[in-house]
Amino acid sequence: MKIEFYGAAGCVTGSCHLLKIGEKNILLDCGMYQGKDEKERGNETFNFNPKDIDFIILSHAHIDHSGRIPLLYKQGFKGTVVCTEGTLDLCSVMLADSGHILEFESEWRNRKKTRQGLEPVEPLYTSKIAQLSMYLFQGYPYDQWIELFDGLKIRFRDAGHLLGSAIIEMLVSEDNKQTKLVYTGDLGNKNIPILKDPAIIDYADYIIMETTYGNRFHTELSSELESLAKIIKDTFKRGGNVIIPSFAVGRTQEVLYALNKHVEGDILKGASVFVDSPLAAESTSIFSKYHKYYDEEATKLLDIGDDPLSFKGLTFTRSPEESAKLNKIQSGAIIISASGMCDAGRIKHHLKHNLWRKESSIIFVGYQAEGTLGRKIVEGARKVKIFGEEIAVNAKIFNLHGLSGHADQNGLIEWLESLKAKPDKVLLVHGDTSAQEEFSELLHLKGYSTLITKPGDTFVPGALSPKFSLVRNKITALINSVEDLDVMDKNLLLEQIRDAIKNI
């Protein structure tokens, strides 16, 4: 067995890891780069031949994990995409929507290129290609062992991150030896609305682990919900609108659930809530199909006839004309719109019409990748460009981490320490450099062996690190010199030894 790391190695987006078992090639996710990652790495080509891939094991439907599957199909992949039932259904609408956006963006760029006398570009893939690629998908329930071929069995466990999201357990049999590899995908934040907490894994020999919030801590959800209600009330008093950039699938439904508790009560009585995203409308219908995935609290609401994703005052806008009308509303509206990082979609229009207004509020409820418009606003930009026009940032900006779908540092550690024994190695992916380094340091202090993966890195379970001999020789030389040192120098020596061990 050999693992090669490509996407989400040394960055957050574009998850893609190549697992080689015998003659079989298996991808763990095939996601799209976004924000700064897209500009630096590009989405057009792969580091392997798509025709050589036998299986894709897909952790969940978010585009940074699934978004390049249609491109892989376009370039010759004809294998099988294995995922949960919920992920299959969500991908059926998300990938087609992604293709539609890519077509629209290409048309927009080509109008400019035509005027400049330049050759047109084609979209990465089209909505039609995305729809065709869905014929390769096979959906399975949670907690069922599936034999993909002689030498690999897998099982999907609930990751609590998105409807259908999975932690993937893999039993690899080679040379009369069985190795258990676990891929976390994206681990969910505990106690978030609708979804169950991440499943506990009994053991693993090796873990490929996400680190999105490896150096951050979320505020308690109850506190964030109180903040959400207060922000909305204060904004309405000022005569403004509340704009919530939100991922159409997952985060939008969680925000609706949170608003349901307050909108139907006295706190926000009479508020008008608009979900301005056709994809969000479709995916909300899919959420309603999978009540078996809901947590205990959401299930109890359903049992008493209260749909947690529907309430008086909620409107789903589908057509461009309906969306445009929202920009004429000056106050009293809560507008939830995609994309969650503000780089595409209808949210940019709502920001253009509200970002400059001191009466309005912008509430971020999800991760903002480096290089995205959302990240610039969150980090305090006073002016941003939207559709080529410079817009002043006068609205109040809020970032509610507690509504995040990702586990924070405490959540990641708690999940890892729930295993009955420490794995041989924790392979860190899906995180900014600072998050990965801090999280790796913390794991070392707790006795874990880690590897921060970089693009193109190869890991062979059971093999020594290629740096091992050099580091071992350095440590030996340091230890041999200890007798000639005073106490202060010995402490310095111990620090050098610790630093050397980290590089093994």
Side-chain angles (χ1 to χ4, degrees), residues 121-418:
V121 296
E122 68 174 43
L124 207 61
Y125 56 83
T126 63
S127 181
K128 181 65 175 177
I129 288 174
Q131 290 168 14
L132 289 172
S133 72
M134 291 305 303
Y135 288 105
L136 305 179
F137 280 64
Q138 291 182 3
Y140 293 89
Y142 286 125
D143 304 324
Q144 171 185 310
W145 283 107
I146 309 152
E147 185 169 15
L148 295 188
F149 56 85
D150 187 17
L152 178 62
K153 291 180 180 179
I154 71 168
R155 179 167 65 170
F156 295 113
R157 308 295 303 281
D158 197 336
H161 169 70
L162 172 71
L163 185 96
S165 63
I167 300 162
I168 302 161
E169 295 181 284
M170 291 165 275
L171 295 179
V172 181
S173 299
E174 287 181 311
D175 303 323
N176 298 317
K177 180 186 175 183
Q178 188 175 83
T179 303
K180 186 174 183 183
L181 173 67
V182 170
Y183 174 42
T184 65
D186 286 353
L187 283 175
N189 188 9
K190 292 184 73 172
N191 300 317
I192 60 173
I194 307 174
L195 300 179
K196 298 173 183 176
D197 290 345
I200 301 302
I201 305 300
D202 51 1
Y203 81 96
D205 296 304
Y206 302 94
I207 296 179
I208 303 173
M209 187 170 190
E210 72 116 323
T211 54
T212 312
Y213 286 106
N215 62 343
R216 301 187 217 177
F217 303 93
H218 297 325
T219 309
E220 283 293 324
L221 181 59
S222 58
S223 174
E224 294 288 54
L225 292 178
E226 290 175 9
S227 297
L228 179 64
K230 185 177 186 305
I231 292 166
I232 294 170
K233 285 176 65 180
D234 291 347
T235 305
F236 288 175
K237 283 180 182 177
R238 294 196 307 270
N241 296 318
V242 174
I243 309 299
I244 305 179
S246 180
F247 302 106
V249 183
R251 193 55 34 76
T252 290
Q253 289 74 33
E254 291 159 10
V255 171
L256 288 179
Y257 186 100
L259 289 174
N260 187 19
K261 287 188 170 183
H262 298 294
V263 172
E264 289 193 333
D266 293 332
I267 299 176
L268 301 174
K269 192 172 182 179
S272 296
V273 180
F274 299 93
V275 177
D276 187 29
S277 165
L279 177 59
E282 289 184 84
S283 57
T284 300
S285 296
I286 292 173
F287 266 68
S288 297
K289 175 183 172 182
Y290 283 97
H291 292 162
K292 64 182 180 180
Y293 287 171
Y294 285 15
D295 63 12
E296 185 178 350
E297 183 182 60
T299 301
K300 285 181 178 178
L301 287 175
L302 288 169
D303 289 343
I304 62 172
D306 184 1
D307 184 347
L309 299 180
S310 179
F311 47 86
K312 187 177 180 180
L314 173 63
T315 303
F316 287 89
T317 55
R318 295 177 181 270
S319 71
E321 292 76 21
E322 289 176 311
S323 176
K325 286 180 181 178
L326 299 183
N327 293 320
K328 296 178 181 179
I329 300 174
Q330 293 298 300
S331 64
I334 301 170
I335 301 173
I336 307 166
S337 186
S339 73
M341 296 185 194
C342 308
D343 262 6
R346 297 179 178 183
I347 187 61
K348 295 179 77 172
H349 292 277
H350 301 309
L351 290 175
K352 180 181 176 181
H353 286 82
N354 287 275
L355 197 57
W356 57 271
R357 301 180 60 218
K358 65 181 185 301
E359 300 89 353
S360 292
S361 295
I362 317 297
I363 305 177
F364 289 91
V365 292
Y367 183 80
Q368 303 300 307
E370 193 173 349
T372 60
L373 175 59
R375 181 72 165 256
K376 291 173 186 174
I377 296 172
V378 165
E379 290 185 340
R382 299 315 308 155
K383 292 183 180 180
V384 294
K385 275 196 173 182
I386 302 177
F387 301 125
E389 182 180 344
E390 198 168 68
I391 307 294
V393 181
N394 294 328
K396 290 188 179 296
I397 309 300
F398 301 91
N399 194 8
L400 302 185
H401 291 296
L403 291 175
S404 171
H406 285 270
D408 65 0
Q409 185 185 94
N410 286 335
L412 293 171
I413 290 292
E414 183 179 335
W415 181 85
L416 191 58
E417 292 193 328
S418 68

